[in-house]
Amino acid sequence: METIDKQQYTLNISSNLELSICVNKSNNFVLIGILCMAIAIFLALIVSFVLLGIKEGISFGFIISCIVGFLCSGYLVRLYLWNKYGKEVFIVNKNDFVMYYDYKLFKDSYRKLHFNSIQVYFEYNGVLMDISKGICCSRDEKCNSIICFKLDGEEIKSIGEIPIEVIINIGNQLND
């Protein structure tokens, strides 16, 4: 595993190609705040549900409010997990491409695509560049980019950035 600018990636090339790009980790203070908010909303809903259910009965509006509260709490937990443990995973087999977001406790946006041709691109100054052109970075310039896989014309871009040299290596491995 290599580390770049608070962002990590792992590249495993064997019978298939597996690339994992970890998201930038947020400040621990912010993460604790998000988690505390999620727990506070959840506990407040449970306590109010029990107290109001015993005394007055439960109205339809209260049930809707509880559902919205649980959804907000769930969203905050998901946001916490993404910012703490989140990573994008790309797996390329012979003619299959798998991509998903890993939140450590669950996986989201799982896509499995079959392809006939695959090309790899990187983004440089907002423009997708072919890996065959390469890139020359000065010492002051950051040489990280998102990776873009073009599968039979359909573009799939990463959220996180990895070094352009790694993207070129991935492209060369897939072209062989």
Side-chain angles (χ1 to χ4, degrees):
M1 182 184 294
E2 296 181 41
T3 303
I4 51 169
D5 297 337
K6 295 183 183 177
Q7 182 151 345
Q8 301 172 346
Y9 69 93
T10 56
L11 178 61
N12 183 8
I13 301 173
S14 56
S15 61
N16 60 2
L17 183 134
E18 184 173 338
L19 173 66
S20 297
I21 304 173
C22 296
V23 297
N24 285 332
K25 304 297 184 222
S26 294
N27 184 342
N28 283 337
F29 182 73
V30 172
L31 290 176
I32 291 171
I34 290 172
L35 188 60
C36 288
M37 288 284 291
I39 292 170
I41 292 170
F42 182 76
L43 291 177
L45 289 171
I46 296 296
V47 168
S48 63
F49 192 76
V50 169
L51 292 178
L52 288 177
I54 292 172
K55 290 183 180 178
E56 302 172 9
I58 299 172
S59 68
F60 180 71
F62 181 70
I63 292 173
I64 296 297
S65 298
C66 285
I67 290 171
V68 169
F70 282 123
L71 290 174
C72 289
S73 179
Y75 175 76
L76 290 173
V77 168
R78 183 176 179 234
L79 184 65
Y80 169 80
L81 289 173
W82 177 253
N83 284 298
K84 182 76 174 174
Y85 304 109
K87 63 182 174 178
E88 301 173 89
V89 178
F90 302 97
I91 302 170
V92 182
N93 290 322
K94 292 185 181 190
N95 286 347
D96 290 323
F97 181 88
V98 176
M99 136 182 218
Y100 59 88
Y101 300 122
D102 188 356
Y103 290 78
K104 192 167 188 172
L105 294 179
F106 64 94
K107 294 171 179 40
D108 190 22
S109 299
Y110 182 88
R111 293 176 65 188
K112 183 174 184 176
L113 303 168
H114 182 74
F115 64 88
N116 293 319
S117 68
I118 185 170
Q119 292 90 29
V120 178
Y121 297 93
F122 60 90
E123 192 173 90
Y124 185 72
N125 292 333
V127 177
L128 286 180
M129 303 286 288
D130 191 349
I131 61 162
S132 63
K133 295 182 181 174
I135 194 73
C136 181
C137 295
S138 65
R139 292 183 186 263
D140 299 335
E141 190 176 8
K142 183 175 144 186
C143 288
N144 296 336
S145 173
I146 63 169
I147 186 169
C148 177
F149 296 97
K150 196 176 254 189
L151 310 171
D152 299 330
E154 182 181 355
E155 289 183 0
I156 298 176
K157 294 182 181 180
S158 68
I159 296 170
E161 294 182 347
I162 59 175
I164 293 175
E165 297 82 25
V166 174
I167 297 172
I168 292 171
N169 182 29
I170 290 170
N172 291 334
Q173 292 291 330
L174 292 175
N175 289 336
D176 291 341

